[in-house]
């Protein structure tokens, strides 16, 4: 299916990449730099992701298959009930403890977020509750949950590593000494994210009619706006980490 909506959203996802990303998959960052990165990730979208997803669910019309898919995603994110793990924000903090950070390092008042991080977070908070629901759903389940691997994952040429493989090859384990037992979040994502990616695309493509040009452009504009804010956010975090691009 090569609909314009699918292509435009994939083009957005292709650009969900940042020059500072390779630094995070290689050795060489200090503890302080890692902490800045992870504090931002946690407070910008990890901690509140389930609540943001609930906002999307709360504005959907009574289409049972859509509500069920979002409810399952939300249930997993807030409880880990599907993967039999735990709430994903808690699993994230467990990973941080594995790196030697404390939970208190992630308290709101211990972290001074870059202004660009605050504005990206504000966009997520507002847009998740704003109609049309298809735009909110695309923003949270495709843009925020998805990655630059989206196109390859849909085409089946990228297969997300799972289980022990995913944990053993993770840069935090390989380069930063995080014990494999602390990587429950990676295990949980390996177990469930593939299904969530498929649900996300199915919901958005099935419920944005090709003939509805206005709705199609609103969905695309919402994700493009988030992409621009996300790039400013990643630039801001890199600046706080003292990393310099070209
Ligand atoms: Fe998650």
């Amino acid at each position: 299916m090569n609909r314009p909506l699918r292509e435009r959203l994939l083009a957005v996802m292709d650009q969900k990449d940042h020059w500072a990303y390779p630094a995070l998959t290689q050795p060489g960052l200090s503890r302080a730099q890692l902490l800045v990165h992870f504090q931002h990730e946690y407070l910008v979208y990890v901690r509140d992701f389930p609540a943001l997803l609930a906002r999307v669910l709360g504005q959907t019309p009574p289409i049972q298959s859509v509500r069920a898919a979002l409810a399952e995603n939300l249930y997993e994110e807030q409880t880990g009930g599907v993967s039999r793990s735990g709430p994903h924000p808690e699993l994230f903090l467990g990973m941080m403890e594995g790196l030697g950070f404390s939970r208190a390092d992630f308290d709101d008042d211990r972290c001074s977020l870059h202004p660009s991080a605050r504005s990206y977070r504000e966009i997520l908070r507002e847009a998740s509750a704003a109609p049309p629901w298809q735009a909110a759903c695309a923003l949270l389940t495709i843009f925020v949950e998805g990655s630059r691997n989206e196109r390859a994952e849909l085409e089946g040429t990228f297969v997300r590593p799972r289980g022990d493989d995913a944990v053993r090859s993770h840069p935090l384990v390989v380069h930063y000494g995080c014990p494999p037992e602390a990587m429950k979040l990676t295990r949980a994502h390996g177990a469930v994210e593939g299904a969530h990616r498929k649900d996300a695309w199915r919901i958005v493509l099935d419920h944005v009619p090709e003939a509805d040009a206005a709705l199609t452009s609103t969905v695309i504009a919402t994700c493009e706006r988030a992409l621009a804010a996300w790039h400013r956010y990643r630039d801001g975090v890199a600046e706080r980490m003292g990393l310099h691009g070209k």
Side-chain angles (χ1 to χ4, degrees):
M1 198 164 53
N2 279 318
R3 289 179 44 190
L5 176 62
R6 182 183 190 273
E7 273 315 303
R8 295 282 298 275
L9 290 178
L10 281 174
V12 167
M13 298 313 291
D14 292 340
Q15 296 171 74
K16 198 184 176 198
D17 200 359
H18 192 262
W19 59 263
Y21 263 8
L24 292 157
T25 57
Q26 293 164 8
L29 293 177
S30 67
R31 293 281 133 184
Q33 286 175 311
L34 285 175
L35 182 59
V36 166
H37 165 73
F38 285 117
Q39 282 175 327
H40 278 82
E41 292 288 87
Y42 183 70
L43 291 175
V44 167
Y45 70 90
V46 172
R47 182 189 66 185
D48 296 331
F49 185 76
L52 295 173
L53 208 49
R55 290 183 172 198
V56 178
L57 173 60
Q59 60 156 322
T60 55
I63 305 167
Q64 299 308 325
S65 61
V66 169
R67 287 185 171 175
L70 291 173
E72 195 212 274
N73 190 350
L74 169 56
Y75 173 63
E76 169 62 20
E77 292 290 338
Q78 190 58 69
T79 70
V82 177
S83 64
R84 298 181 184 278
S85 53
H88 291 206
E90 286 297 308
L91 300 182
F92 180 95
L93 291 178
M95 187 169 80
M96 295 300 100
E97 288 175 322
L99 283 173
F101 301 124
S102 77
R103 300 174 75 86
D105 287 327
F106 295 84
D107 286 350
D108 267 322
D109 48 9
R110 288 279 283 271
C111 306
S112 136
L113 296 184
H114 192 280
S116 62
R118 290 183 192 280
S119 33
Y120 176 57
R121 179 168 72 175
E122 210 40 50
I123 285 178
L124 299 183
R125 286 179 178 171
E126 277 170 19
S128 56
W133 70 269
Q134 295 95 330
C137 185
L139 174 65
L140 267 288
T141 67
I142 294 180
F143 183 76
V144 177
E145 269 192 313
S147 73
R148 63 178 170 167
N149 297 320
E150 217 59 17
R151 185 184 296 275
E153 207 164 356
L154 287 187
E155 284 165 0
T157 52
F158 170 84
V159 181
R160 180 187 295 273
R162 300 178 59 156
D164 287 338
D165 282 349
V167 170
R168 266 197 305 265
S169 62
H170 197 286
L172 293 182
V173 173
V174 177
H175 304 303
Y176 293 102
C178 192
E181 317 79 80
M183 299 298 288
K184 293 194 179 78
L185 182 60
T186 298
R187 270 180 209 283
H189 281 157
V192 300
E193 290 299 319
H196 289 171
R197 310 298 333 112
K198 286 203 188 79
D199 281 346
W201 283 94
R202 179 182 54 76
I203 291 172
V204 172
L205 294 176
D206 283 359
H207 297 283
V208 180
E210 199 163 3
D212 194 336
L215 179 58
T216 299
S217 45
T218 303
V219 170
I220 293 165
T222 299
C223 291
E224 285 177 343
R225 180 168 162 248
L227 175 69
W230 181 86
H231 272 282
R232 288 192 293 273
Y233 157 54
R234 294 311 317 169
D235 285 345
V237 175
E239 180 194 308
R240 287 280 173 91
M241 291 170 76
L243 298 174
H244 303 286
K246 321 119 268 189

